[in-house]
Amino acid sequence: MPETITTEAATPDVAQQEQAETPLESLASICTVLAIGLFVMTFIFQNFEIPSASMVNTLLIGDHVLVDRISLAPPAKWAPFTFYRDVQRGDIIVFFKPGEPDLFLVKRTIGIPGDRIHLRNGVVYLNGVAQNEPYAGMPVNDDNPQHAFDPYRDDFPAVPPDNYGNVTASWGYELPSHIQDGDLIVPPGKVFAMGDNRTESLDGRYWGFVPRENIVGRPLFVYWSFQTPADQINKQSIGERLSFMGHILIHIFDQTRWKRTFHLIK
């Protein structure tokens, strides 16, 4: 004959004793939540703000994006359950700028190891084939001189970088060794990346390849976007930062780009 399992309802006094939590237990619970949150925001996701126009119209100044730090990270033995893949052409990536390990950049991957790349009048040719990139800003004759044709930038790498001040010294020295028959050859362990706003982007054309180990992750979506002046990136004093924070508090409703909330990045 099976045994009967009985359930006992606790009296109010007993229930109150069971539900009471000591200060030490409360602190432990808070620390656990903080530790989990810190782990997630450090190793799985990270938020970034877009400060410049190098990726317009894909990403706007003032976009706040959530970056996936797992899928493009090297596979880890301690986490075999995580999804991993290598960088692909067209991926938008967040990475440490070569030579400046404290500076994050966001660009689009144009070429992977072994690819042959060159530009003609701003159009990217990948392995001899002209790329259809509707998101890319091309040189154009308008009232902005920065948008006009630039031989080094728009016919890269046909023109030597000797007289271009934005080209880093190390890249100016290294660049010729990566050119074959007029094409830039992407070496093993690196990718070549450019901004979508090609006429206003200081990208791989000016500082070189992105080492694979510099890649942090890929942005997934915009979780908040606020109309931000293009020169805000240069305002770094405490007073200027506090002033802009006050501006955000006053205009958070009328200057938030609500249509970009949860906008997928691709």
Side-chain angles (χ1 to χ4, degrees), residues 227-264:
Q227 298 176 29
T228 303
D231 62 348
Q232 187 60 38
I233 187 176
N234 300 318
K235 299 178 180 179
Q236 296 297 318
S237 70
I238 295 178
E240 289 171 330
R241 290 185 178 186
L242 290 175
S243 176
F244 189 64
M245 289 175 62
H247 175 80
I248 293 175
L249 290 175
I250 294 173
H251 296 283
I252 190 169
F253 293 107
D254 62 298
Q255 292 190 17
T256 288
R257 303 183 185 105
W258 296 105
K259 291 184 178 180
R260 291 189 65 78
T261 304
F262 299 125
H263 169 73
L264 296 179

Side-chain angles (χ1 to χ4, degrees), residues 46-60:
Q46 190 169 354
N47 61 301
F48 288 91
E49 179 184 359
I50 305 302
S52 72
S54 69
M55 286 295 291
V56 171
N57 289 308
T58 305
L59 293 169
L60 306 181

Side-chain angles (χ1 to χ4, degrees), residues 203-222:
D203 47 41
R205 293 169 290 183
Y206 298 91
W207 40 253
F209 302 108
V210 180
R212 184 64 182 83
E213 61 269 19
N214 282 31
I215 298 175
V216 173
R218 61 189 184 96
L220 299 177
F221 60 87
V222 177

Side-chain angles (χ1 to χ4, degrees), residues 23-37:
L24 185 60
E25 290 173 332
S26 299
L27 179 61
S29 299
I30 294 173
C31 289
T32 300
V33 172
L34 291 176
I36 294 174

Side-chain angles (χ1 to χ4, degrees), residues 90-108:
D91 280 344
I92 298 176
I93 55 175
V94 174
F95 56 93
F96 292 110
K97 181 180 178 181
E100 297 185 47
D102 295 328
L103 180 61
F104 288 105
L105 295 181
V106 56
K107 306 292 180 186
R108 187 181 296 272

